[in-house]
Amino acid sequence: MAIPPVPTRQLFIDGEWREPILKNRIPIVNPSTQDVIGHIPAATKEDVEVAVNAARRAFSRNKGKDWAKAPGALRAKYLRAIAAKVTERKSHLATLESLDSGKPLDETVWDMEDVAGCFEFYADLAEGLDAKQKAPVSLPMEMTTVESGTRALQYLGLDGDNGSSALKDLKVNLIVTDYSMPGLTGYELLKKIKESSAFREIPVVIMSSENIQPRIEQCMTEGAEDFLLKPVKLADVKRLTELIMRSGEPQEEDKAKHSYPNRILQNNTDSSSSSHDDVSYVDDDTPSSKRMKLES
């Protein structure tokens, strides 16, 4: 096998090639001959810090329009360009991979085809994502609106009045609450729920527009299932749906006895109560202090 020259590379950071801060390099050893066939830059934590800071600046550059808010079609353009270059240089890259890893050449050729195929696959997903933005997500549940966190406690029967609960004949599958809401915080509601023999095993998800780490850690320590930062993403909705479906599955001894509907209790100061057959995507413009959801 003819040994192609191994290019002398640097680290590509912030749009340019640069030497590692500590100037160290790692030898590339051919496992079949033990010969050193080249060197690659040895990055350290100092280089990683520079790269991460550069990525953060690039992510928010031009108010995020360059990449953070770039549509899927633009992202797909770059992914397909990478795939095309890998395919164009497949033979050369496969030979280098064989020399570096000791794999048979036929296998490294397949590896390069897989690499190009992965970039093409995710390009397809990126383009398909454009059509799904803000598409309604139907969830099998009802919604009831209440005006405060205190009213939520009353609805769940956790205010000390044993006759106040509207959920006597329902099994709660999931509780989702904002952290900031009228009457009490999401953390305070979480504590009440975890102190309740009826609801302590129900997963509780807390949402907030404020990324305050001590607050998040406090809620997770108290027993929250998850803490979501707003605006809520499609992946968050899928996560909530999975929790609802998982917690909604009756135990073996209950399957023949009960059929439990799902319900959402939502805090909204604009109306006292309402009921819907399904729930669309979360409205990210609603202030966090105005919204609290309890899914059941």
Side-chain angles (χ1 to χ4, degrees):
M1 178 190 301
I3 300 179
V6 177
T8 302
R9 295 296 189 197
Q10 298 174 314
L11 300 174
F12 192 74
I13 299 176
D14 205 11
E16 63 181 13
W17 295 100
R18 59 177 70 185
E19 279 293 325
I21 291 176
L22 299 184
K23 310 292 186 184
N24 293 330
R25 301 187 74 81
I26 301 173
I28 303 172
V29 178
N30 183 334
S32 64
T33 64
Q34 296 302 304
D35 293 335
V36 175
I37 58 175
H39 295 81
I40 58 174
T44 60
K45 63 180 181 180
E46 291 83 3
D47 298 297
V48 172
E49 184 174 352
V50 173
V52 169
N53 289 334
R56 285 174 176 161
R57 290 193 302 271
F59 194 69
S60 59
R61 188 171 51 227
N62 194 19
K63 296 183 179 180
K65 294 179 181 179
D66 289 354
W67 191 252
K69 299 179 180 179
L74 178 61
R75 295 166 185 252
K77 175 183 176 182
Y78 288 103
L79 292 172
R80 293 195 195 285
I82 295 172
K85 281 296 182 182
V86 171
T87 300
E88 177 186 318
R89 303 187 61 195
K90 178 175 65 175
S91 297
H92 181 74
L93 293 173
T95 301
L96 289 175
E97 177 62 14
S98 179
L99 291 170
D100 178 50
S101 66
K103 283 185 175 183
L105 185 58
D106 286 347
E107 188 172 340
T108 58
V109 170
W110 297 337
D111 287 345
M112 295 305 108
E113 292 172 350
D114 283 343
V115 170
C118 285
F119 281 103
E120 290 285 357
F121 174 79
Y122 286 107
D124 289 341
L125 290 184
E127 290 174 338
L129 189 61
D130 283 344
K132 297 179 180 179
Q133 293 298 312
K134 297 187 177 181
V137 178
S138 180
L139 300 177
M141 62 188 68
E142 298 175 359
M143 178 181 292
T144 301
T145 302
V146 296
E147 66 275 11
S148 68
T150 302
R151 181 68 184 94
L153 288 178
Q154 295 172 351
Y155 188 79
L156 292 172
L158 299 179
D159 62 337
D161 183 356
N162 293 330
S164 64
S165 177
L167 299 180
K168 292 178 180 178
D169 299 323
L170 298 178
K171 177 181 182 296
V172 179
N173 303 118
L174 176 67
I175 298 174
V176 180
T177 174
D178 241 308
Y179 185 90
S180 300
M181 55 183 177
L184 77 170
T185 67
Y187 174 72
E188 291 168 334
L189 178 61
L190 171 67
K191 289 190 66 176
K192 290 283 188 181
I193 292 168
K194 293 306 176 182
E195 291 169 359
S196 164
S197 59
F199 298 111
R200 67 164 62 105
E201 300 301 325
I202 305 303
V204 179
V205 175
I206 299 178
M207 302 186 342
S208 177
S209 58
E210 299 177 299
N211 187 3
I212 302 176
Q213 196 61 36
R215 176 184 295 178
I216 296 173
E217 292 174 356
Q218 183 185 44
C219 292
M220 297 302 292
T221 300
E222 188 64 32
E225 182 76 17
D226 209 342
F227 197 108
L228 304 181
L229 294 177
K230 296 189 290 184
V232 175
K233 305 295 190 298
L234 181 60
D236 297 327
V237 177
K238 290 180 178 178
R239 163 73 169 153
L240 294 178
T241 304
E242 291 170 358
L243 287 172
I244 294 169
M245 297 299 102
R246 185 184 71 190
S247 60
E249 295 176 354
Q251 300 297 321
E252 289 297 328
E253 62 270 19
D254 291 339
K255 286 183 179 179
K257 299 179 182 179
H258 304 288
S259 177
Y260 297 117
N262 294 322
R263 179 173 302 227
I264 292 181
L265 174 62
Q266 175 169 331
N267 175 59
N268 189 324
T269 57
D270 295 332
S271 59
S272 58
S273 65
S274 62
S275 181
H276 307 277
D277 293 332
D278 59 69
V279 179
S280 297
Y281 61 86
V282 176
D283 180 1
D284 293 336
D285 294 330
T286 305
S288 61
S289 62
K290 298 289 186 181
R291 186 173 68 206
M292 185 275 292
K293 291 182 178 178
L294 292 171
E295 295 177 347
S296 64

